[in-house]
């Protein structure tokens, strides 16, 4: 599951009012380089909740192989500014960093946890299972 996908998911359990962003509890993560497309990346940014992406980046940094700089290209995980600049479309360096995070970092195995209820959603083979039990709907 890419971080772009994570940015679109939320907990819809009955009674939950703050189910976003889901906390990432990785068991296995992977970096896989994909072709950079400046226009596509810039077009996706308005759909992204930037604050949630920053939180996701914090959780991804805690994954031990990534924290040690293993399994990543030289330089490791890129830094992002605390606030998305207004003129991001013209900043190729920032767009490349956003592309790296949104499209090249994958949660392969682990859990997504609701920040309010603690409900865990498994991620297996990059596929998040967001199905709720009957009593949670």
């Amino acid at each position: 599951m890419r971080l772009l996908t994570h940015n679109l998911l939320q907990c819809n359990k009955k009674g939950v009012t703050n189910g976003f962003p889901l906390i990432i509890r990785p068991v296995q993560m992977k970096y896989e380089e994909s072709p950079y497309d400046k226009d596509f990346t810039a077009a996706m940014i308005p759909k992204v909740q930037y604050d949630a992406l920053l939180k996701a980046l914090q959780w991804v940094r805690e994954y031990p192989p990534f924290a040690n700089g293993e399994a990543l290209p030289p330089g490791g995980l890129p830094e992002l500014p605390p606030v998305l600049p207004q003129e991001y479309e013209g900043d190729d360096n920032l767009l490349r960093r956003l592309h790296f995070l949104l499209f090249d970092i994958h949660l392969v195995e682990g859990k997504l946890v609701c920040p309010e209820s603690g409900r865990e959603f498994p991620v297996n083979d990059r596929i998040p299972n967001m199905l709720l039990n009957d009593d949670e709907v």
Side-chain angles (χ1 to χ4, degrees):
M1 178 190 74
R2 291 182 167 100
L3 291 187
L4 175 64
T5 304
H6 169 264
N7 199 271
L8 302 172
L9 297 176
Q10 68 179 14
C11 177
N12 289 314
K13 183 179 173 186
K14 178 173 50 180
V16 170
T17 58
N18 181 27
F20 180 83
L22 295 167
I23 299 164
I24 299 173
R25 299 271 190 252
V27 172
Q28 181 184 4
M29 297 200 74
K30 189 171 186 179
Y31 165 76
E32 285 185 5
E33 186 175 0
S34 62
Y36 171 64
D37 182 333
K38 180 180 180 177
D39 294 332
F40 181 71
T41 303
M44 294 307 296
I45 300 308
K47 297 168 178 38
V48 171
Q49 293 283 334
Y50 191 75
D51 290 346
L53 178 61
L54 293 177
K55 285 184 181 180
L57 181 55
Q58 286 178 325
W59 297 317
V60 168
R61 285 187 193 287
E62 294 170 4
Y63 177 61
F66 286 0
N68 297 332
E70 301 169 20
L72 291 170
L77 292 169
E79 296 292 331
L80 291 178
V83 177
L84 184 65
Q86 292 282 342
E87 303 298 321
Y88 67 86
E89 292 170 335
D91 187 340
D92 191 61
N93 182 278
L94 176 60
L95 289 173
R96 285 182 182 277
R97 289 181 282 156
L98 288 166
H99 169 88
F100 180 105
L101 294 169
L102 292 170
F103 300 107
D104 295 350
I105 300 296
H106 299 263
L107 176 61
V108 179
E109 302 286 336
K111 295 177 183 168
L112 301 174
V113 182
C114 175
E116 183 178 322
S117 70
R119 168 66 152 86
E120 296 180 344
F121 298 94
V123 177
N124 295 305
D125 198 23
R126 302 178 191 215
I127 301 169
N129 180 349
M130 302 300 294
L131 294 176
L132 297 171
N133 298 320
D134 288 342
D135 63 335
E136 298 175 311
V137 182

